[in-house]
């Protein structure tokens, strides 16, 4: 049985067993989730996370070196950011249109609203508090870490990537004969991390099953009860965007047929759904881009690490739908200028969100407060957010691969160049 099939089997078995355990309210089922399935899934997740820092550093350095001079790096960077912003804005606009037309929040009355908020009041308090640390000029300063190793240790991937790009740009000014030994080392590091990813993926079916069981056993059948319309809208909308819009973009911009593209993207999509973390999925995303889609290393090594932190199509759709849903639930009217503002703020906050499970929630609370919805409203969705986080992360990762495929089609006269230590 292929790895893809084994991972899917693990996902379905873990989900089904977790739903049975959660629906029955079995103490044994809860114990299994807390002491066996959950830890097994987290061990597998850490096997993926442990290679993220060396993988990001080595692939970005090799990618910038393969791109060439700073002028070509600048052109690729501009094209990358323009593509990221345009597709993220498209996802946010679709979310606003869907939620505005179907009005999923209009069915939540005051009594149900109060009970849901009370049920998750304690759980939502840290998220509301974190929203007070919203983006500002301090966030711009934080992009340049005083200690890049400390930034990597605390999971601040954006700051670590900023340092890596500065280092790689400086390395491009070093004479080639002096830079080559270091690039050879980086190539060895990249190859070693890919081998470690292979070890982790051998355990993927068990890890996926454990994570799926832990989430569904905790939620049980409640995920389809009080706010089922909202959950359905997010899941259906993400599926349409992921398998419809992104498939068309892969064909139009990336030159890959949807059938070829989605076959190559299966493992990253499943891994993203299981881990709910773009950062944890990055190793498998880079592997699929280079080995399955045959995207040049200098493109995948540059675009995909940036995409894991800056390109959040699924998060933008989720945030737009959620903000409108909560505004409707709390009776806050959103006129057209306010919705346009939400679209812009959603893009900015989606870009600022950490590529980790639930990383978008503090940013979303800040947007809610800015449009007149109480921050505590986030408690309405905390019970189902883990499931939605898994789905939107899969969409995020798929969008990253589409962007890499599109940008690999270099402009005429600007051919891609592979970084191969055996040459030159």
């Amino acid at each position: 049985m292929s790895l893809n099939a084994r991972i899917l089997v693990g996902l379905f078995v873990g989900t089904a067993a977790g739903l049975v355990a959660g629906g029955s309210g079995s103490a044994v089922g809860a114990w299994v989730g807390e002491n066996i399935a959950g830890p097994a899934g987290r061990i597998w997740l850490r096997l993926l996370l442990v290679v993220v820092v060396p993988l990001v550093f080595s692939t970005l350095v090799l990618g910038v070196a393969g791109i060439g001079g700073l002028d070509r790096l600048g052109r690729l960077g501009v094209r990358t950011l323009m593509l990221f912003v345009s597709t993220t804005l498209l996802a946010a606009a679709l979310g606003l249109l869907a939620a505005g037309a179907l009005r999923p929040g209009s069915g939540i009355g005051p009594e149900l609203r109060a009970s849901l908020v009370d049920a998750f009041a304690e759980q939502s308090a840290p998220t509301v508090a974190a929203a007070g640390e919203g983006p500002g000029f301090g966030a711009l300063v934080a992009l340049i870490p005083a200690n890049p190793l400390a930034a990597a240790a605390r999971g601040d991937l954006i700051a670590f990537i900023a340092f890596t790009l500065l280092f790689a740009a400086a390395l491009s000014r070093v004479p080639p004969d002096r830079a080559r030994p270091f690039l050879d080392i980086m190539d060895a590091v990249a190859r070693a991390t890919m081998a470690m990813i292979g070890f982790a993926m051998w355990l993927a079916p068990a890890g996926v099953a454990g994570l799926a069981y832990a989430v569904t056993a905790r939620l049980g059948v409640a995920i389809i009860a009080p706010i089922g319309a909202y959950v359905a809208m997010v899941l259906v909308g993400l599926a349409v965007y992921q398998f419809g819009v992104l498939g068309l973009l892969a064909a139009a911009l990336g030159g890959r047929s949807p059938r070829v593209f989605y076959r190559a993207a299966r493992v990253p999509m499943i891994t993203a759904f299981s881990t709910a973390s773009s950062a944890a999925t990055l190793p498998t995303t880079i592997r699929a881009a280079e080995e399955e889609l045959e995207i040049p290393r200098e493109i995948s090594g540059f675009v995909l690490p940036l995409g894991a932190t800056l390109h959040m199509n699924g998060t933008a759709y989720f945030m737009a739908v959620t903000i409108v849903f909560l505004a409707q639930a709390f009776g806050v009217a959103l006129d057209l200028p306010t919705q346009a503002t939400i679209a812009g703020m959603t893009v900015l906050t989606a870009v600022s969100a950490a590529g980790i499970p639930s990383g978008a929630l503090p940013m979303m609370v800040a947007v809610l407060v800015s449009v007149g919805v109480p921050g505590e409203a986030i408690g309405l969705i905390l019970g189902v957010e883990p499931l939605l986080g898994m789905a939107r992360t899969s969409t995020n990762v798929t969008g990253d691969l589409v962007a890499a495929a599109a940008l690999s089609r270099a402009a005429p006269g600007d051919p891609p160049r592979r970084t191969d230590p055996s040459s030159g």
Side-chain angles (χ1 to χ4, degrees), residues 90-103:
L90 172 63
L94 291 176
L96 288 172
L97 289 173
L102 300 179
R103 300 187 59 80

Side-chain angles (χ1 to χ4, degrees), residues 211 215 218-219 223 230-231 234-235 238 242 268-281 312-319 322 353-361 364 381-398:
L211 290 174
V215 171
R218 179 161 54 89
L219 296 178
I223 60 174
Y230 160 73
V231 172
V234 174
L235 294 180
L238 287 173
Q242 180 169 349
M269 289 192 299
I270 296 170
T271 304
F273 187 85
S274 305
T275 64
S277 170
S278 299
T281 310
M312 302 289 180
N313 290 180
T315 299
Y317 177 88
F318 160 76
M319 290 178 67
T322 302
I356 58 176
S358 303
L361 293 185
M364 188 163 61
I381 63 131
L382 287 183
V384 296
E385 195 277 332
L387 173 67
L388 303 182
M390 296 161 71
R392 68 175 181 264
T393 304
S394 184
T395 304
N396 289 341
V397 168
T398 306

Side-chain angles (χ1 to χ4, degrees), residues 320-400:
V321 171
T322 302
I323 290 166
V324 175
F325 164 74
L326 293 176
Q328 293 168 354
F330 279 78
V332 177
L334 301 175
D335 56 22
L336 193 58
T338 302
Q339 293 189 48
T341 301
I342 289 174
M345 294 177 69
T346 296
V347 172
L348 292 176
T349 53
V351 166
S352 304
I356 58 176
S358 303
L361 293 185
M363 297 291 188
M364 188 163 61
V365 170
V367 179
L368 285 171
V369 173
S370 71
V371 298
V373 179
E376 290 74 17
I378 200 71
L380 269 71
I381 63 131
L382 287 183
V384 296
E385 195 277 332
L387 173 67
L388 303 182
M390 296 161 71
R392 68 175 181 264
T393 304
S394 184
T395 304
N396 289 341
V397 168
T398 306
D400 294 345

Side-chain angles (χ1 to χ4, degrees), residues 109-137:
E111 184 176 344
L112 178 58
R113 178 195 312 152
S115 64
L116 287 171
V117 171
D118 289 343
F120 292 97
E122 183 177 352
Q123 189 176 349
S124 64
T127 301
V128 175
E133 306 167 5
F137 287 108

Side-chain angles (χ1 to χ4, degrees), residues 30 34 68 95 103 114 134 155 170 187 213 218 249 311 318 342 351 414:
E34 183 177 350
R103 300 187 59 80
D187 183 74
Y213 180 97
R218 179 161 54 89
L249 291 177
H311 192 215
F318 160 76
I342 289 174
V351 166
D414 191 22

Side-chain angles (χ1 to χ4, degrees), residues 51-322:
V51 302
V52 167
V53 169
L55 182 65
V56 166
F57 187 79
S58 60
T59 54
L60 268 179
V61 168
L62 291 170
V64 172
I67 290 168
L70 292 178
D71 56 336
R72 297 182 73 230
L73 174 63
R75 292 198 299 272
L76 178 61
V78 169
R79 291 198 297 265
T80 300
L81 290 178
M82 288 179 62
L83 183 59
F84 283 2
V85 170
S86 59
T87 54
T88 304
L89 185 60
L90 172 63
L94 291 176
L96 288 172
L97 289 173
L102 300 179
R103 300 187 59 80
S106 59
I108 294 184
E111 184 176 344
L112 178 58
R113 178 195 312 152
S115 64
L116 287 171
V117 171
D118 289 343
F120 292 97
E122 183 177 352
Q123 189 176 349
S124 64
T127 301
V128 175
E133 306 167 5
F137 287 108
L140 295 177
V141 176
L143 282 177
I144 309 300
N147 184 335
L149 295 180
R154 66 174 178 266
D156 189 355
L157 201 58
I158 294 179
F160 183 72
I161 286 175
F163 161 76
T164 304
L165 288 174
L166 288 173
F167 179 87
L171 187 65
S172 70
R173 308 299 295 269
V174 176
D177 59 323
R178 298 294 182 89
R180 175 54 56 187
F182 184 77
L183 291 176
D184 289 345
I185 294 174
M186 289 297 96
D187 183 74
V189 171
R191 293 176 188 273
T193 54
M194 288 297 180
M196 290 181 68
I197 295 165
F199 301 154
M201 294 313 295
W202 186 79
L203 298 172
V208 167
L211 290 174
Y213 180 97
V215 171
T216 53
R218 179 161 54 89
L219 296 178
V221 296
I223 60 174
I224 59 174
I227 49 177
Y230 160 73
V231 172
M233 173 173 291
V234 174
L235 294 180
V236 171
L238 287 173
V240 170
Y241 189 88
Q242 180 169 349
F243 297 104
V245 175
L246 290 179
L248 293 175
L249 291 177
L253 302 180
R256 274 79 168 178
S257 71
R259 181 178 61 84
V260 170
F261 174 79
Y262 287 115
R263 178 186 299 161
R266 282 180 297 183
V267 169
M269 289 192 299
I270 296 170
T271 304
F273 187 85
S274 305
T275 64
S277 170
S278 299
T281 310
L282 181 59
T284 60
T285 310
I286 292 178
R287 189 183 190 187
E290 296 182 2
E291 297 181 4
E292 301 290 336
L293 293 173
E294 299 183 343
I295 295 173
R297 174 187 288 178
E298 63 267 22
I299 300 298
S300 65
F302 178 80
V303 174
L304 294 176
L306 290 180
T309 55
L310 301 178
H311 192 215
M312 302 289 180
N313 290 180
T315 299
Y317 177 88
F318 160 76
M319 290 178 67
V321 171
T322 302

